[in-house]
Amino acid sequence: MRPGRLSRRGFLGLTAGAGAAVTVGAAGWSRLAGASTGRVLASAGPLPRPFGVPLPVPPVARPVRSEHGADFYRVEQREGQREILPGRKTTVWGYDGTFPGPTFAARSGRRTVIEVFNSLAVPTVTHLHGGVTPPESDGYPTDLLLPARCAPGQTHDGMAGAHTGRTAVGYRSYDYPLPQRAATLWYHDHRMAFSAPQVWRGLAGFFLVRDAEEDRLPLPDGTGTFR
């Protein structure tokens, strides 16, 4: 083999080593977090006939006020009871206790401010997926919003000082200037090491950005008709 070239055996050895490093790293982080991110739970109830349940349409959020070219909203993360399987109630963690959460309908270039209240028993982080967002409102996984009722010094599963993000207690305002074209985005919980199970529990919803270009297209307008 010429100098500088990697044999097939050597390449496989390197990739195997890299995979082991990733595995060890993930296991190490799991130990650091001090808890499992969840387990698979099979439904104990009968599943409905395919396509037999109407599509749930979340409500459209309404601003609590609009001023200075901006719309201001308030939403509360709390437990709720939803009928996901017909005839059965499921406890969800939802924005305003619903699943999916309320849909935000915004305009490109118009500032949208959402004040999120955490009435759950765990930390949360809200992230606008696909949004062109300033860093302080991006919802980094360690920028925790702690529950309104939390023990002094509590940050992440009771581990004081276990992260380096910006921490708020009770509520946090997320500021979205939306300098982007029309798009269908979604917002969801983004908490470090717990994003998936908290989204599974219901912390997710739609965020629509509209603009003049979209207005000119023959698309549904939400009333069952086309523009």
Side-chain angles (χ1 to χ4, degrees), residues 60-193:
V60 177
R62 303 298 179 191
V64 294
R65 71 182 190 278
S66 297
E67 59 187 26
H68 307 302
D71 298 318
F72 294 81
Y73 297 84
R74 290 178 181 170
V75 64
E76 181 185 7
Q77 298 169 321
R78 64 174 187 262
E79 285 192 358
Q81 296 290 317
R82 309 301 295 176
E83 188 175 291
I84 298 174
L85 294 179
R88 291 173 176 262
K89 294 293 185 180
T90 298
T91 299
V92 301
W93 294 354
Y95 294 91
D96 284 345
T98 66
F99 173 72
T103 296
F104 291 91
R107 295 291 299 185
S108 172
R110 182 175 175 87
R111 184 173 163 229
T112 295
V113 181
I114 302 177
E115 192 171 40
V116 178
F117 292 80
N118 184 3
S119 296
L120 296 170
V122 298
T124 63
V125 179
T126 299
H127 174 66
L128 179 58
H129 199 104
V132 180
T133 306
E136 60 273 13
S137 292
D138 190 61
Y140 291 161
T142 54
D143 285 352
L144 302 179
L145 172 57
L146 304 185
R149 299 179 181 178
C150 68
Q154 178 184 355
T155 57
H156 193 52
D157 293 310
M159 299 184 299
H163 72 96
T164 58
R166 293 175 285 254
T167 300
V169 178
Y171 69 92
R172 167 176 274 147
S173 290
Y174 294 89
D175 199 321
Y176 304 131
L178 304 176
Q180 57 192 104
R181 298 175 64 188
T184 299
L185 311 181
W186 67 298
Y187 62 98
H188 62 88
D189 190 86
H190 205 215
R191 176 185 169 205
M192 175 65 77

Side-chain angles (χ1 to χ4, degrees), residues 17-29 31:
V22 170
T23 302
V24 170
W29 174 248
R31 287 193 296 272

Side-chain angles (χ1 to χ4, degrees), residues 13-66:
L14 285 176
T15 55
V22 170
T23 302
V24 170
W29 174 248
S30 178
R31 287 193 296 272
L32 176 64
S36 169
T37 57
R39 65 185 189 278
V40 176
L41 297 176
S43 172
L47 297 180
R49 177 175 54 86
F51 308 108
V53 177
L55 177 70
V57 179
V60 177
R62 303 298 179 191
V64 294
R65 71 182 190 278
S66 297

